[in-house]
Amino acid sequence: MSISENVIAFKKQLPESVTLVAVSKTKPASDIQEAYDSGHRDFGENKVQEMESKWETLPKDIRWHMIGHVQRNKVKYMAPFVHLIHSIDSPRLLKEINKQGKKAERVIQGLLQLKIADEDSKFGLTVAEAETLLTSEAFQKYEHVKIVGLMGMATFTEDTEQISREFQQLKTAYDRWKDRYGFHTLSMGMSGDYTIALEKNTTMVRVGSAIFGERNYS
Ligand SMILES: *Cc1c(COP(=O)(O)O)cnc(C)c1O
């Protein structure tokens, strides 16, 4: 199947309340254009500079999602256009996003990334750290960044029970904070585990290889 057929078929499986972020990292702009031409607008990238160069060449009504770990000195490059930063994993990054949002005269929307996986390599805050951040005085004062929900990545494993438990942890934190902080976005589920995320009532899935094919890292 072609990319546009994949996007259309994939969206058909999703409830209308779930947003598909098509993860286009490492893929050429022509692949994104093809998905765009089928009507899709939400794309995810994990490197700021790659996202910026794609933003420059592709249609301006694309909603760009930053899903990868962000270094603070890179925030300025995406502040003018990024739609949603999924991977806010420290108070210092949050502070920098507020600063660059101010310069760009925008309110940048973001998600706190929680560490739910049983792996050292995955970034994220613990539930306690996220709670501390959300209740901090500094956070209340930020006018150019708005936290609208949570993101997490489950362990890369065949053990579906474990994935389900990890997604449940994220969902529990989301439900606890949803009303208090006006959350509306729960970003969980990738090509290998989105069906489990759907069972847990995710609102946003980030799907790459199931749409664009396997990635070649070279
Ligand atoms: C690459 C990536 C995805 C998509 O992964 P697939 O397995 O290709 O669907 C989702 N989320 C994050 C954070 C990623 O880095």
Side-chain angles (χ1 to χ4, degrees):
M1 284 209 293
S2 68
I3 290 168
S4 54
E5 284 168 336
N6 283 347
V7 172
I8 290 164
F10 203 93
K11 279 194 193 166
K12 276 205 185 119
Q13 308 174 48
L14 297 177
E16 246 177 78
S17 57
V18 176
T19 302
L20 168 66
V21 175
V23 176
S24 46
K25 63 189 185 195
T26 79
K27 297 294 177 181
S30 55
D31 283 9
I32 301 174
Q33 185 68 51
E34 193 181 331
Y36 179 93
D37 291 339
S38 77
H40 197 67
R41 292 295 179 269
D42 289 273
F43 294 92
E45 292 283 333
N46 70 338
K47 294 205 172 82
V48 174
Q49 265 132 342
E50 183 176 342
M51 184 170 78
E52 188 195 12
S53 64
K54 287 172 174 172
W55 167 72
E56 278 169 358
T57 57
L58 285 158
K60 288 296 176 285
D61 61 342
I62 287 178
R63 292 184 288 269
W64 291 102
H65 296 251
M66 175 42 60
I67 62 169
H69 181 64
V70 177
Q71 289 171 302
R72 277 175 295 142
N73 61 359
K74 302 276 171 64
V75 175
K76 57 178 177 284
Y77 302 114
M78 65 174 162
F81 69 89
V82 67
H83 175 69
L84 183 66
I85 302 175
H86 292 229
S87 42
I88 301 176
D89 59 3
S90 75
R92 296 201 308 170
L93 177 60
L94 188 65
K95 184 178 180 187
E96 179 63 18
I97 295 168
N98 184 62
K99 182 179 160 189
Q100 298 301 334
K102 184 170 184 183
K103 278 193 190 161
E105 300 180 19
R106 302 182 61 208
V107 179
I108 299 175
Q109 301 207 85
L111 308 176
L112 294 182
Q113 181 173 357
L114 294 198
K115 183 175 161 59
I116 51 171
D118 185 21
E119 288 170 5
D120 290 339
S121 60
K122 305 243 158 104
F123 293 99
L125 301 159
T126 63
V127 170
E129 286 166 344
E131 178 103 56
T132 301
L133 203 161
L134 289 165
T135 53
S136 69
E137 227 176 283
F139 175 67
Q140 321 294 328
K141 291 192 184 134
Y142 293 155
E143 292 180 348
H144 294 276
V145 60
K146 186 169 165 54
I147 300 296
V148 298
L150 303 177
M151 180 273 233
M153 287 172 84
T155 304
F156 189 69
T157 174
E158 303 279 292
D159 184 347
T160 56
E161 294 284 319
Q162 183 179 352
I163 295 169
S164 180
R165 272 196 307 276
E166 291 172 355
F167 281 160
Q168 184 58 51
Q169 274 182 48
L170 190 62
K171 173 76 163 103
T172 300
Y174 178 77
D175 287 341
R176 169 138 44 98
W177 296 331
K178 190 172 183 285
D179 292 340
R180 201 184 321 160
Y181 299 109
F183 286 178
H184 53 67
T185 299
L186 177 59
S187 169
M188 63 180 192
M190 312 181 11
S191 296
D193 57 21
Y194 73 92
T195 52
I196 303 172
L198 289 175
E199 286 168 16
K200 299 288 178 189
N201 292 316
T202 184
T203 76
M204 190 174 269
V205 292
R206 309 175 308 272
V207 177
S209 41
I211 289 171
F212 293 107
E214 293 303 321
R215 287 177 292 274
N216 290 315
Y217 291 98
S218 53

